[in-house]
Amino acid sequence: MAICITCTQSISHLYTVYESAYNLRLEQCSSCLAFADPYVEHDTLTLLLDLILLKRGVYRHLLYNRGTEPRKACAKGQARKPEDWDETSESVTMAGVTSASAAWHQDSAREKARWLHILKLGSGLLIVDAFIRCAQLNPQTSADVSQWSAETNDVFFRILVACLIETLAFHGGVTLASCVVLKFSDWVQTWTTLRTSQVSGVRQQFRISLIPLTILYSSFTKYFLLFLLTIWRPSATLPGGAPYRFGVPYENPLIVRALEIWDEDKLDREWVVRNVLGGMAAGFGLRVVLDCHPLFTTVVILVGWVGKTAVAELLKDWIGTDAQSREIWLAYSIP
């Protein structure tokens, strides 16, 4: 079943199709009275932009509702209702068994398709991450692919393998921590007054595969900005050789000192995007899929960060031969 992206209430269908795929009507949520999922009418570019902007609704659409079969109307334009079935007890029982079996097969097919999607999406993002990390370690040659040599290709292959190992470590740590957090959260709700009689649609439709998929979706914001900084690198100095300074129309030394952190020679934008923005985006995505307190998602991210940092520490000697390369590798290994 799908969920309403506004209130997470479970809903059987998101829209009804009449005669053709382009003639449809969005379903209204019975709980919040809003459209269950308006994103079914949006194109891929709109979904990508909202994903980069970290909108909660697009996460719920991509994680829970994407690929949901619509309700098909009959020839007269009316959707088939359960009242139209045979009223005999035997037929109703057979209809229930058939419906349960069909739902199980549909859920199994969606789970397989989700893991395949994770593999494809993860492979693409892994190559992008390896290219960005290679550009950070070799800024002179990585920006111009035409200058790549056999040695550069060997470095890129090493970085690609290291990024794969780091990614597996991070996803494994986050998945394990998420399962522990969910168990602990359910135990706490059982013994406190926070327990409710109705479980949200997010928790009802929760699957393990949603955790790595959420992390991959959350990486779009980070990789989009990092890729732009890799292709169009800002100059750190003026034409005369002096570093860029943040112009301040004030004479107050405290204000000048406070705004100097934005100078090009002091602020590492790539580090901020990867570590600060990347961690916030991953925490936001896990907050959507786990449906728990933000403190729990912070703990989950920290567990994954510890595992990934430990793996990066083991791989630093294999990646870089000098101290500067190893230091850069460890600095950009935080998710």
Side-chain angles (χ1 to χ4, degrees):
M1 295 180 65
I3 65 172
C4 173
I5 64 173
T6 303
C7 65
T8 69
Q9 180 71 23
S10 298
I11 187 171
S12 58
H13 296 86
L14 299 175
Y15 60 99
T16 303
V17 176
Y18 297 94
E19 297 181 357
S20 67
Y22 300 99
N23 185 12
L24 56 89
R25 177 179 63 85
L26 296 177
E27 294 291 334
Q28 190 178 24
C29 177
S30 59
S31 179
C32 64
L33 302 181
F35 287 124
D37 191 351
Y39 281 104
V40 297
E41 294 185 314
H42 294 179
D43 54 5
T44 305
L45 180 59
T46 303
L47 296 177
L48 181 60
L49 291 177
D50 286 352
L51 193 63
I52 294 176
L53 295 175
L54 300 178
K55 292 190 176 182
R56 191 183 303 269
V58 72
Y59 272 88
R60 291 171 176 169
H61 166 76
L62 293 174
L63 294 173
Y64 298 98
N65 298 342
R66 194 167 182 85
T68 303
E69 293 292 332
R71 175 163 45 193
K72 297 182 180 180
C74 299
K76 294 183 179 180
Q78 298 294 330
R80 188 178 181 183
K81 300 179 181 180
E83 291 80 1
D84 298 333
W85 299 343
D86 191 353
E87 294 298 332
T88 62
S89 59
E90 183 179 358
S91 61
V92 171
T93 303
M94 292 300 296
V97 173
T98 304
S99 177
S101 177
W104 183 85
H105 285 289
Q106 183 179 5
D107 183 72
S108 178
R110 289 188 63 182
E111 189 71 6
K112 293 180 181 179
R114 188 180 292 127
W115 281 110
L116 182 61
H117 183 59
I118 291 173
L119 181 61
K120 294 179 180 179
L121 185 62
S123 301
L125 293 179
L126 182 66
I127 296 176
V128 173
D129 189 20
F131 176 78
I132 294 173
R133 300 282 285 276
C134 186
Q136 292 166 350
L137 293 175
N138 305 279
Q140 291 78 17
T141 60
S142 299
D144 189 2
V145 183
S146 61
Q147 298 182 5
W148 282 30
S149 59
E151 182 180 357
T152 307
N153 294 333
D154 180 68
V155 172
F156 179 78
F157 177 76
R158 288 172 177 261
I159 294 176
L160 181 64
V161 174
C163 288
L164 174 61
I165 299 174
E166 278 192 5
T167 302
L168 293 177
F170 179 68
H171 281 248
V174 169
T175 303
L176 179 61
S178 298
C179 295
V180 174
V181 163
L182 289 179
K183 292 293 184 180
F184 179 76
S185 177
D186 293 339
W187 180 80
V188 170
Q189 290 184 359
T190 303
W191 295 98
T192 60
T193 57
L194 297 176
R195 182 175 178 85
T196 58
S197 58
Q198 185 178 6
V199 182
S200 65
V202 171
R203 296 297 295 271
Q204 292 177 3
Q205 304 297 327
F206 176 78
R207 300 293 184 274
I208 295 297
S209 59
L210 294 175
I211 297 177
L213 185 58
T214 301
I215 298 175
L216 293 178
Y217 282 145
S218 302
S219 302
F220 272 81
T221 304
K222 174 183 66 177
Y223 287 139
F224 174 74
L225 297 177
L226 287 175
F227 192 72
L228 293 181
L229 290 176
T230 302
I231 297 177
W232 295 290
R233 288 184 172 274
S235 178
T237 59
L238 293 169
Y244 279 113
R245 296 294 180 183
F246 191 87
V248 182
Y250 307 102
E251 299 297 334
N252 193 324
L254 295 179
I255 298 180
V256 174
R257 293 286 298 275
L259 294 179
E260 280 182 353
I261 62 175
W262 300 103
D263 294 340
E264 291 290 342
D265 58 337
K266 295 182 179 180
L267 178 65
D268 192 344
R269 298 178 180 179
E270 295 174 342
W271 187 92
V272 172
V273 170
R274 178 177 290 275
N275 300 337
V276 180
L277 184 59
M280 293 175 59
F284 176 83
L286 289 176
R287 175 70 176 86
V288 174
V289 72
L290 297 181
D291 193 24
C292 59
H293 196 274
L295 178 62
F296 291 150
T297 58
T298 303
V299 173
V300 170
I301 293 297
L302 290 178
V303 171
W305 170 76
V306 170
K308 187 175 182 179
T309 304
V311 172
E313 185 72 25
L314 297 175
L315 296 174
K316 65 177 183 179
D317 295 331
W318 186 58
I319 293 297
T321 57
D322 54 342
Q324 183 178 3
S325 299
R326 291 193 290 268
E327 183 180 354
I328 295 176
W329 173 261
L330 292 177
Y332 293 104
S333 293
I334 305 177

